[in-house]
Amino acid sequence: MDTKEFWHLINKARFAASDEVPFHEALASLLAARPKQQILEYQDHFDTLHGALYRWDVWAAAYLIGGGCSDDSFTDFRAGLIAQGRHWYERAAASPDSLADHPDVIAAATDFEDRALFHEDANYCASDAYEQITGDSETFWDDWKQYVADRPPVDSPTDPLGEDFDFDDENEMRRRLPRLAALFLSEES
C-alpha cells in the first residue's frame, strides 16, 4: 500500500460513514476486505503520519480546540486529523492555526463543544479489521510486532518536535496560533 492508496481508503471510509456506521467502523470494514499484509502496511502509514504530527504547535492547537489536552487526548486528536483526510491533514501539518477554517472547529467554538477532531477509535482501525477477519483481537498485535521486527528500526522522538511553550499563557497562544486563539480564548485576557 502506498501513500496515495492510504488516503484513498481514508476518503472512501469518510464517504461510507453515516450516523449508523461511524468512520472508524467503515474504515475497519474496508481494511478487513484486504489481505493482512495490506492492513499492516496501512498501520505503518498511519503511524508515520501520526508521528509526524507529534509537535508542540499541533498539541497547542489541540489544547485550544479541546479546552485542554492530555497526552492521551493528543493521540486521539492526531488520529482525528488523519480521519479528516489528506487535505485537512496536510493543512494542519503545514500550519496548525489553519484549523480555524475547519467547519467542525468553527462549530465547536460556537457551541462550546471541546471534542472536535478528537477521534480515539480511529487509532484502532487496523486492529479492528484484523479482529473482523480472525475473531481474535490479539492476532493483529502479534503480527504487528513481527512486521516491525522485520524492518530497520524507526527513530521515534520521546518528546514532541519543535519549541515547547506554555499552553496556559494566553498571550503566547495568541502569538503562535492567532486565529484559533481568537475562536477559543476570551477577549478579556
Side-chain angles (χ1 to χ4, degrees):
M1 175 179 299
D2 62 14
T3 303
K4 183 177 178 181
E5 190 173 358
F6 173 90
W7 287 117
H8 176 72
L9 269 174
I10 296 290
N11 284 338
K12 198 170 177 182
R14 288 176 54 72
F15 286 112
S18 66
D19 288 340
E20 295 80 34
V21 180
F23 167 81
H24 65 277
E25 289 179 13
L27 181 54
S29 293
L30 289 169
L31 286 168
R34 293 172 171 262
K36 289 180 184 179
Q37 180 65 27
Q38 286 188 13
I39 299 171
L40 294 170
E41 291 168 0
Y42 163 87
Q43 185 67 42
D44 197 19
H45 284 288
F46 181 89
D47 286 352
T48 299
L49 293 165
H50 197 264
L53 293 176
Y54 192 52
R55 302 182 347 220
W56 289 112
D57 58 344
V58 177
W59 200 336
Y63 191 87
L64 285 171
I65 294 167
C69 185
S70 68
D71 54 348
D72 285 343
S73 291
F74 186 43
T75 297
D76 301 343
F77 182 79
R78 291 179 287 150
L81 285 178
I82 294 168
Q84 295 303 305
R86 187 174 200 159
H87 170 76
W88 280 107
Y89 175 89
E90 289 179 350
R91 279 190 71 179
S95 172
D97 203 35
S98 70
L99 290 171
D101 295 328
H102 194 288
D104 292 344
V105 172
I106 294 167
T110 304
D111 299 337
F112 304 103
E113 167 59 44
D114 62 1
R115 299 315 302 163
L117 306 185
F118 291 77
H119 199 321
E120 179 180 7
D121 292 328
N123 287 299
Y124 309 110
C125 293
S127 62
D128 291 348
Y130 247 67
E131 186 169 4
Q132 287 180 32
I133 294 169
T134 66
D136 178 8
S137 60
E138 293 305 310
T139 304
F140 171 76
W141 301 110
D142 294 339
D143 287 357
W144 179 248
K145 287 178 197 170
Q146 185 60 48
Y147 179 84
V148 173
D150 290 344
R151 58 193 185 116
V154 177
D155 186 26
S156 299
T158 55
D159 291 320
L161 299 174
E163 182 184 353
D164 185 5
F165 57 98
D166 183 0
F167 297 166
D168 290 320
D169 181 338
E170 290 191 6
N171 290 329
E172 189 67 16
M173 293 295 264
R174 288 180 197 288
R175 185 177 75 76
R176 292 178 185 259
L177 300 165
R179 297 176 62 224
L180 283 172
L183 287 174
F184 290 98
L185 296 178
S186 68
E187 294 295 323
E188 300 170 7
S189 313

